[in-house]
């Protein structure tokens, strides 16, 4: 609930805050209040302690499963040690390795996460701010942090407002509230109570907004977290962070794999126990099954892939704060974009001109250096002179080498726009002003709504003075009796006045701010050289002037935005504009960037076209909708849902921060993945609520950047499109990576199952499995993250959050039951080959396990009558591991090849050359599984052929 | 997801039931019977094909192998030593010389083991020239085996003493060298055993000096050399009466042959073996 300080008189305020407007607080009293209220600063958002973040990495994902494995290992070690089994230490080491795997991948993920968070730290550094305050009857500079309620502060143009202030004195004060409300136009501030709503009234200036010009004195009424901005910030921190879609997908995947691991593990534990294996042995089997099933390296791979993409995106000016957000853009189905600063350039620019009874369009692009409209008319020469002279804005000195559009200007937004416009066309505005010396001036004020100045002319022979005036068009027109057409003064008759009205309405309808310009050459005889112009008594004519033309200004869209919006469209992403600005302006910008396409209409448009009341229009006919914040306030959630569903092109205007939040929630109710872009403090709650919040890097406020997941360093909406593309690509590629990784799990698992059931010597050891998972498989799976897109990923719809999963049934079944089995068979062939060639034929191996593993049985006979010691057998077993390992690796090469594409034949894609790392082994064993590797390839090519021939079948 | 409300349990159950069998679409576990049938058929064909392929490749593999000798013997370049009888647990003999049951297992194992060395079984074997390798012609389909008479084992042969000395407190242990195809020992291989602590046991070897005669080598494999008998060395231990009830560790090694290794750090049975004996009265 907001206070009503804006309604109180100065005396009441003094009383309420026990202060004095002239003398301020005493230092002692200020110190007391400071002690009571705390410093005037926003409490930074609570961050999770680093140790918690670290521990989270230790227990997330498969870690729990691996911890269980490690624990089982140590238990087995303990028991075996007590029993005096020689190989007990193997289990100790395996347990240590498993724990190390968890810890190292945890550290790695933590490091990656921390690295991307660290980039952010630089943003939160703020320069300490000073405030000019009256205390003990003296003006003092104190740090803004020490301001307290009741302090009297003085502000001037260029200052940041140090707290929420009730103005008690103001002179031409204007503030930029855009970071708070999203309005791009400067707001004037006076001491008058103008509106019930403290947010709208003119006598309150808000913390963290900037004073653009003028001076003011005010009393601090709120500090720190109690300020409006503080409340919005706390609203933002109250919004829970949603889990990112990729986090949900990975969780889903972890559940699948962990489910398979645990159920197979338990199943075979039971089988093993009922086959009269010792419980201890069964536990060891269980460990093997867990280790084989869990893709230990995968989460690290995912992290690497994501951070590689994050890096790539950073190069394209998308800075990702939260690694998982990399993918979120890819699944985004609705973008709620702020207007000011995101879609627009956030500076007023001259967009249209009207003179000689004709509308001209001006170039509004960011990098304009010339203007191409017809400048031959004499009227234009006259108009340009008024624009140049009747203007108080000035370039800050020392910017001669800076492009005109980038120069810093002292002055308000409209005057700045006019100054730059004139500079672009005429050049050296300051020189022209010098040659046409200004003699008198009435600055713009809200009562007369015009600005006027009187100049000497630069023609030495012309002794007349030139009076130039600009202001609200209707007010200017009132003061004119003639109008300039093609350089000739003509009487302003009704026809001309109507033409003016039409043009004025048309430009106004475009959401542009229109200014009228007129002039008058003062007759030499009445106004001689020495005439004393007095602006207070206005001893000069201010009527019967000559109307010259209109100029209209707008905060124009960025030139890259329309293209980006249409790309989002074709990518199936709905772009919704959510702004604090006026509906007309919002709609005009929406139309010009394509958020409302050229041929779609709102309900109001249809009503106007058919000439029927709005209520009679069938809402289904209107594709577009412009919703005012006031309407939104009265809407129920269902009504909002209806709008979101029925209209494809939506603009929300005059929205408050809370409403932005409501809109985002409404979109999320439609199962959409919502991206929100914004730069202001007012956007921060929505940024946080969104699945991915995107803040502007240049124009964005710190609050917005803190709440966002991603920052556009160049403030360019088009960068989002890049982000979407990268996000979709990484999702596709992670799918490939996972498919690739899952396949070999079966080939790692089968050995254990066959080992238990057929009692053959163990084909592959746990450590070897870890070596595949964490060694040879890492590089290829990361390489898959670099795959190029198979088809135009920007032409398909965003994935459905609940239907298009990262790991679905088909992927799991195909990897596990088809390619996985194929791979296992290939690997077993290699295993049997190694044993057979050393003298152990397959039939001898069956049922051999118990004797094979007996440490004291040192003369086991092989198929040829030779006898083997335990160590010789172990050594052979290791050779078997190597062969099995090599076969898996070789077949993983085939797997890598087939996984490079999901639909296209590999012959349609460029092959890049990877060389997974091979350990030493008898060279021919590399080739035993080769036919199976080739078979995998051929088989998958056939599958892809079918997929292409019969798309969409189950 | 914070927003997602928990579904009531009954609804979850209903959804599961729906999933298990959906009467409307006739879907069972999310698929129709026909779909399941096709899938089943596919996997039947697929796994059938894989099985056939695996069988075929295994067959090809076996075709490349000789039935007589394995392709490689590099994992067993040097033979291990082993003893008979082999106690069930570790290589530790525990027995009471006055309790025949305590060593019955050992005795019967020895008897069983030596059966193939009976003269009656060796009628086909020939007497070979001692001290020389008995290399046989390549084209000989069935290789001849050299005789190894039980009598060579002296008092451990079981001929005179059918308790192999266990009843007298002088147990016999047979030491044998693992068979390896094509192994040709050099020099004059013999078994040498020594107790870990000097003086606790007197050791007698049969044949004298624990010799392993070269005429028993090379071995040609189970298939070609069916009658082959590997040479044995019997070790008879006479444990000093003062050392009864104590563990006596005995280590046997193959000596006198440069190509038979007996000092491998990792393989404790390569060319050597150690076992414990504990005898009570």
């Amino acid at each position: 609930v907001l206070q009503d300080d804006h309604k109180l008189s100065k005396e009441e305020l003094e009383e309420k805050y026990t202060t004095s407007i002239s003398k301020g607080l005493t230092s002692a009293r200020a110190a007391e209040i400071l002690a009571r209220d705390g410093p005037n600063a926003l409490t930074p958002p609570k961050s999770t302690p680093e140790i918690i973040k670290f521990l989270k990495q230790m227990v997330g994902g498969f870690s729990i499963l691996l911890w269980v494995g490690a624990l089982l290992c140590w238990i087995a070690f303990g028991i075996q040690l007590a029993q005096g089994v020689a190989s007990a230490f193997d289990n100790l080491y395996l347990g240590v390795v498993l724990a190390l795997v968890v810890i190292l991948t945890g550290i790695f993920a933590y490091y990656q996460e921390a690295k991307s968070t660290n980039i952010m730290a630089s943003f939160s550094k703020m320069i300490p701010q000073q405030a000019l305050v009256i205390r003990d009857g003296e003006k003092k500079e104190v740090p803004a942090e020490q301001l307290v309620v009741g302090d009297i502060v003085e502000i001037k143009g260029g200052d940041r407002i140090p707290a929420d202030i009730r103005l008690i004195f103001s002179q031409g004060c204007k503030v930029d509230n855009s970071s708070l409300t999203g309005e791009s136009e400067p707001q004037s501030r006076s001491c008058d109570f103008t509106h019930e709503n403290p947010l709208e009234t003119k006598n309150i200036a808000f913390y963290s907004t900037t004073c653009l010009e003028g001076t003011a004195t005010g009393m601090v009424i709120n500090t720190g977290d109690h300020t409006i901005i503080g409340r919005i910030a706390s609203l933002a921190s109250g919004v829970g962070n949603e889990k990112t879609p990729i986090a949900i997908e990975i969780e889903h995947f972890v559940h699948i794999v962990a489910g398979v691991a645990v159920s197979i593990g338990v199943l075979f534990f039971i089988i093993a126990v009922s086959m009269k294996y010792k419980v201890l042995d069964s536990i060891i089997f269980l460990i093997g099954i867990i280790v084989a099933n869990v893709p230990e390296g995968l989460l690290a791979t995912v992290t690497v892939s994501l951070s590689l993409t994050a890096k790539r995106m950073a190069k394209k000016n998308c800075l990702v704060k939260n690694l998982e957000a990399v993918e979120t853009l890819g699944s985004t189905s609705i973008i709620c974009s702020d207007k000011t600063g995101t879609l627009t350039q956030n500076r007023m620019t001259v967009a249209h001109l009207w003179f000689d009874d004709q509308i001209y369009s001006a170039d509004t692009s960011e990098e304009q250096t010339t203007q191409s409209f017809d400048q031959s008319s004499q009227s234009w020469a006259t108009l340009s002179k008024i624009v140049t002279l009747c203007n108080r804005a000035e370039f800050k000195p020392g910017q001669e080498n800076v492009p005109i559009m980038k120069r810093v200007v002292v002055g308000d937004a409209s005057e700045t726009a006019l100054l730059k416009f004139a500079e672009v066309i005429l050049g050296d505005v300051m020189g022209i002003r010098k040659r046409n010396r200004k003699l008198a001036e009435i600055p713009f004020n809200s009562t007369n709504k015009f600005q006027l100045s009187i100049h000497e002319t630069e023609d030495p022979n012309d002794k007349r003075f030139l009076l130039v005036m600009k202001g609200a068009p209707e007010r200017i027109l009132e003061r004119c009796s003639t109008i300039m057409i093609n350089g000739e003064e003509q009487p302003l008759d009704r026809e001309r006045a109507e033409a003016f009205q039409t043009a004025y309405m048309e430009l106004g309808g475009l959401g542009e701010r229109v200014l009228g310009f007129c002039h008058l050459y003062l007759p030499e005889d009445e106004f001689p050289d020495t005439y004393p112009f007095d602006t207070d008594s206005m001893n000069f004519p201010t009527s019967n002037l000559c109307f010259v033309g209109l100029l209209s200004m707008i905060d124009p869209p960025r030139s890259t935005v329309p293209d980006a919006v249409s790309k989002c469209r074709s990518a199936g992403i709905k772009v919704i504009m959510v702004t604090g600005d006026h509906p007309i302006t919002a709609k005009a910008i929406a139309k010009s960037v394509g958020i409302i396409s050229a041929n779609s209409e709102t309900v109001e448009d249809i009503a106007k076209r058919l000439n029927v009341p709005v209520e009679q229009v069938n809402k289904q006919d209107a594709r577009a909708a412009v919703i005012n914040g006031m309407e939104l306030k009265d809407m129920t959630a269902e009504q909002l849902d209806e709008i979101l569903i029925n209209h494809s092109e939506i603009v929300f205007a005059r929205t408050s921060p809370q409403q932005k939040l409501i809109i985002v929630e409404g979109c999320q109710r439609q199962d959409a993945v919502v991206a929100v872009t914004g730069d202001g403090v007012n956007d921060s709650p929505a940024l946080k609520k969104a699945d991915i919040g995107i803040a502007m890097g240049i124009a964005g406020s710190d609050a917005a950047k803190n709440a966002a997941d991603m920052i556009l360093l160049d403030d360019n909406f088009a960068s989002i499109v890049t982000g979407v593309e990268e996000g979709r690509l990484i999702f596709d590629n992670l799918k490939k990576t996972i498919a690739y990784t899952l396949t070999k799990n079966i080939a790692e698992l089968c050995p254990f199952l066959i080992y238990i059931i057929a009692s053959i010597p163990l084909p592959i050891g746990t450590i070897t499995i870890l070596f595949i998972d964490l060694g040879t498989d890492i590089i290829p799976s990361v390489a898959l993250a670099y795959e190029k897109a198979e088809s135009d990923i920007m032409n398909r719809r965003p994935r459905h959050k609940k239907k298009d999963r990262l790991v679905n049934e088909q992927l799991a079944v195909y990897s596990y039951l088809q390619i996985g089995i194929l791979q296992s068979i290939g690997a077993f062939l290699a295993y049997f080959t190694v044993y057979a060639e050393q003298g152990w034929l397959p039939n001898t191996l069956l049922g051999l396990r118990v004797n094979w593993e007996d440490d004291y049985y040192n003369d086991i006979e092989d198929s040829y009558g030779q006898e083997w010691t335990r160590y010789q057998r172990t050594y052979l077993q290791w050779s078997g591991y190597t062969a099995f390992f090599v076969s898996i690796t070789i077949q993983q090469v085939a797997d890598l090849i087939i996984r490079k594409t999901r639909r296209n034949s590999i012959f349609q894609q460029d092959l890049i050359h990877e060389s997974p790392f091979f350990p030493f082994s008898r060279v021919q064993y590399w080739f035993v599984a080769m036919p199976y590797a080739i078979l995998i390839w051929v088989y998958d090519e056939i599958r892809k052929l079918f997929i292409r021939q019969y798309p969409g079948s189950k | 997801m914070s927003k997602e409300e928990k579904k009531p349990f009954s609804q979850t159950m209903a959804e599961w039931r729906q999933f298990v069998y959906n009467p409307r679409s006739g879907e069972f576990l999310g698929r129709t019977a026909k779909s399941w049938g096709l899938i089943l058929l596919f996997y039947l064909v697929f796994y059938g094909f894989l099985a056939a392929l695996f069988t075929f490749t295994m067959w090809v593999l076996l075709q490349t192998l000789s039935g007589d000798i394995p392709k490689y013997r590099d994992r067993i370049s040097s033979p291990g030593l082993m003893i008979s009888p082999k106690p069930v647990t570790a290589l530790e003999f525990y027995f009471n010389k006055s309790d025949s049951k305590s060593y019955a297992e050992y005795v019967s194992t020895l008897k069983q083991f030596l059966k193939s060395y009976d003269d009656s079984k060796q009628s086909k074997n020939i007497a070979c020239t001692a001290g020389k390798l008995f290399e046989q012609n390549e084209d000989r389909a069935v290789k001849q085996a050299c005789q190894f008479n039980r009598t060579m084992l002296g008092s451990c042969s079981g001929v005179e003493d059918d308790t192999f000395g266990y009843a007298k407190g002088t147990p016999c242990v047979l030491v044998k060298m693992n068979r390896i195809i094509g192994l040709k020992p050099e020099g004059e291989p013999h078994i040498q055993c020594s107790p870990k602590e000097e003086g606790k046991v007197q050791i007698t070897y049969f044949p004298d000096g624990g010799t392993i005669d070269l005429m028993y080598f090379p071995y040609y494999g189970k298939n070609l050399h069916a009658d082959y008998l590997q040479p044995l060395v019997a070790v008879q231990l006479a444990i000093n009466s003062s050392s009864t009830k104590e563990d006596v560790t005995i280590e046997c090694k193959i000596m006198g042959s440069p190509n038979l290794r007996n000092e491998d750090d990792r393989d404790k049975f390569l060319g050597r073996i150690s076992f414990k004996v504990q005898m009570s009265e």
Side-chain angles (χ1 to χ4, degrees), chain A residues 333-377:
Chain A
S333 49
I334 296 182
I335 299 177
C336 291
S337 178
D338 180 40
K339 178 181 76 76
T340 313
T342 312
L343 299 173
T344 67
Q345 302 170 17
N346 196 17
R347 61 155 179 244
M348 294 304 268
T349 305
V350 174
H352 291 98
L353 303 92
W354 179 77
F355 57 85
D356 292 349
D357 215 355
Q358 199 176 340
I359 291 179
Y360 298 89
S361 297
D363 179 8
T364 57
S365 67
E366 286 92 332
E367 309 297 340
Q368 47 180 289
T369 46
T370 51
Q371 289 288 357
S372 53
F373 63 90
D374 182 15
Q375 293 159 15
S376 57
S377 163

Side-chain angles (χ1 to χ4, degrees), chain B residues 133-135 177 183 185 212-219 228 231:
Chain B
L133 292 171
F134 180 48
E135 291 184 75
M177 198 168 80
L183 177 74
I212 294 173
D213 203 298
L214 291 184
M215 68 184 176
Y216 298 105
F217 300 95
Y219 175 51
Y228 179 79

Side-chain angles (χ1 to χ4, degrees), chain A residues 154-226:
Chain A
E154 287 187 10
I155 46 170
K156 57 179 193 307
D159 286 353
R160 218 166 78 120
I161 313 279
D164 280 0
I165 290 171
R166 159 73 159 84
L167 298 186
I168 44 190
F169 165 78
S170 152
Q171 192 178 32
C173 178
K174 279 188 179 171
V175 291
D176 174 10
N177 272 355
S178 63
S179 79
L180 190 63
T181 60
E183 286 164 308
S184 47
E185 291 183 20
Q187 310 284 309
S188 67
R189 280 293 175 261
S190 65
C191 313
D192 311 322
F193 159 56
T194 55
H195 202 286
E196 279 288 326
N197 184 344
L199 280 172
E200 304 267 347
T201 185
K202 287 203 165 168
N203 56 3
I204 292 184
F206 299 105
Y207 178 44
S208 93
T209 59
T210 17
C211 176
L212 291 171
E213 59 179 86
T215 56
T217 307
M219 186 186 292
V220 176
I221 51 171
N222 283 317
T223 58
D225 290 331
H226 302 288

Side-chain angles (χ1 to χ4, degrees), chain B residues 40-229:
Chain B
L40 220 64
L41 185 71
F42 169 77
Y43 278 101
L44 215 64
V45 172
F46 183 69
Y47 288 147
F49 169 71
L50 286 189
L53 186 74
F54 183 66
T55 317
F56 172 72
T57 45
M58 285 300 283
W59 179 79
V60 169
L61 159 68
L62 294 179
Q63 292 311 301
T64 64
L65 299 177
S66 139
D68 303 333
I69 50 166
K71 199 161 178 180
Y72 302 110
R73 275 159 287 153
D74 55 338
R75 292 286 180 262
I76 34 171
S77 50
S78 192
L81 283 195
M82 195 53 194
I83 52 169
S84 178
K86 172 187 171 295
V88 181
T89 54
L91 296 177
E92 291 165 5
F93 294 85
Y94 297 100
F95 69 95
N96 186 331
K97 72 175 182 181
S98 30
D99 177 7
S100 65
K101 259 192 213 157
S102 67
Y103 53 81
E105 180 80 36
Y106 305 140
V107 171
S108 68
T109 310
L110 280 174
K111 276 184 181 158
Q112 185 65 31
F113 183 77
L114 288 174
K115 233 176 216 167
S116 46
Y117 288 82
D118 283 346
D119 287 347
S120 57
K121 297 264 171 67
Q122 298 203 39
S123 54
K124 272 191 261 165
N125 296 4
I126 55 165
C128 307
T129 325
K132 263 181 72 185
L133 292 171
F134 180 48
E135 291 184 75
Q136 302 178 48
N137 233 339
E138 289 251 339
D139 47 14
R140 233 194 146 87
V142 177
K143 309 290 185 195
Q144 285 178 303
C146 295
Q147 283 177 358
F148 187 98
N149 295 321
R150 276 176 80 162
T151 48
M152 290 171 78
L153 299 177
S155 53
C156 286
S157 64
V159 181
E160 307 114 69
D161 177 1
D162 64 355
T163 65
F164 296 91
Y166 283 83
K168 292 179 197 154
T170 53
C172 284
V173 173
L174 293 176
V175 179
K176 64 188 184 73
M177 198 168 80
N178 281 351
R179 289 191 295 265
I180 291 174
I181 293 173
L183 177 74
K184 296 172 190 165
E186 295 159 11
E188 289 174 352
H190 61 275
I191 300 290
Q192 200 176 72
C193 298
S194 55
K196 221 171 198 175
E197 289 107 354
E198 284 296 319
K200 279 189 177 175
V201 235
Q202 275 84 52
I203 298 168
T204 325
Y205 301 97
F206 304 97
D208 273 351
T211 349
I212 294 173
D213 203 298
L214 291 184
M215 68 184 176
Y216 298 105
F217 300 95
Y219 175 51
Y220 287 97
K222 195 160 83 174
N223 203 13
L224 297 177
H225 220 160
D227 297 328
Y228 179 79
L229 287 174

Side-chain angles (χ1 to χ4, degrees), chain A residues 532-558:
Chain A
F533 290 106
D534 182 5
T535 51
D536 290 328
S537 59
M538 295 223 241
N539 56 351
F540 44 83
T542 54
S543 56
N544 292 326
L545 311 175
C546 170
F547 192 87
V548 182
L550 294 171
L551 246 73
S552 68
M553 285 160 290
I554 196 162
D555 177 12
R558 292 165 182 276

Side-chain angles (χ1 to χ4, degrees), chain A residues 336-574:
Chain A
C336 291
S337 178
D338 180 40
K339 178 181 76 76
T340 313
T342 312
L343 299 173
T344 67
Q345 302 170 17
N346 196 17
R347 61 155 179 244
M348 294 304 268
T349 305
V350 174
H352 291 98
L353 303 92
W354 179 77
F355 57 85
D356 292 349
D357 215 355
Q358 199 176 340
I359 291 179
Y360 298 89
S361 297
D363 179 8
T364 57
S365 67
E366 286 92 332
E367 309 297 340
Q368 47 180 289
T369 46
T370 51
Q371 289 288 357
S372 53
F373 63 90
D374 182 15
Q375 293 159 15
S376 57
S377 163
Q378 188 57 43
S379 306
W380 162 243
T382 313
L383 182 59
S384 66
K385 191 162 238 172
I386 307 172
V387 168
T388 313
L389 296 179
C390 190
N391 190 331
R392 298 174 49 178
E394 284 177 21
F395 290 115
K396 276 198 178 161
Q399 301 188 85
E400 286 72 22
N401 298 324
V402 181
I404 295 167
M405 299 314 284
K406 294 223 165 82
R407 288 186 202 168
V408 181
V409 174
V410 186
D412 79 10
S414 319
E415 295 227 297
T416 305
L418 294 171
L419 173 64
K420 287 184 175 172
F421 182 67
E423 183 80 15
V424 165
I425 300 174
L426 305 171
D428 193 21
V429 168
M430 305 315 273
I432 298 174
R433 286 199 200 155
K434 226 174 259 168
R435 291 196 294 276
N436 298 274
R437 200 161 62 87
K438 190 183 335 184
L439 298 173
E441 173 177 58
I442 301 175
F444 186 88
N445 68 48
S446 48
T447 30
N448 36 13
K449 297 207 165 167
F450 67 78
Q451 178 179 354
L452 170 157
S453 56
I454 298 167
H455 300 260
E456 290 174 349
T457 61
E458 58 188 310
D459 182 356
N461 303 324
D462 191 350
K463 291 289 176 208
R464 290 176 302 170
F465 295 112
L466 174 63
L467 184 152
V468 288
M469 187 193 257
K470 76 164 185 232
E474 65 279 8
R475 292 296 181 86
I476 297 295
L477 196 75
E478 281 167 14
R479 296 170 185 276
C480 293
S481 54
T482 57
I483 184 164
M484 185 170 281
I485 302 292
N486 298 327
E488 307 281 324
E489 271 190 45
Q490 298 199 356
L492 185 62
D493 50 24
R494 263 190 52 194
E495 199 181 319
R496 297 271 179 225
E498 251 163 45
F500 159 87
Q501 278 301 340
T502 322
Y504 182 26
M505 293 309 290
E506 187 172 342
L507 296 178
L510 293 173
E512 296 176 3
R513 189 199 298 175
V514 191
L515 288 177
F517 294 83
C518 63
H519 78 161
L520 182 71
Y521 280 98
L522 300 178
E524 207 176 341
D525 43 350
E526 275 179 59
F527 299 92
D529 252 358
T530 53
Y531 187 80
F533 290 106
D534 182 5
T535 51
D536 290 328
S537 59
M538 295 223 241
N539 56 351
F540 44 83
T542 54
S543 56
N544 292 326
L545 311 175
C546 170
F547 192 87
V548 182
L550 294 171
L551 246 73
S552 68
M553 285 160 290
I554 196 162
D555 177 12
R558 292 165 182 276
S559 48
T560 46
V561 170
D563 186 44
V565 169
S566 84
K567 275 188 183 154
C568 287
R569 276 274 161 75
S570 57
I573 302 169
K574 196 161 155 181

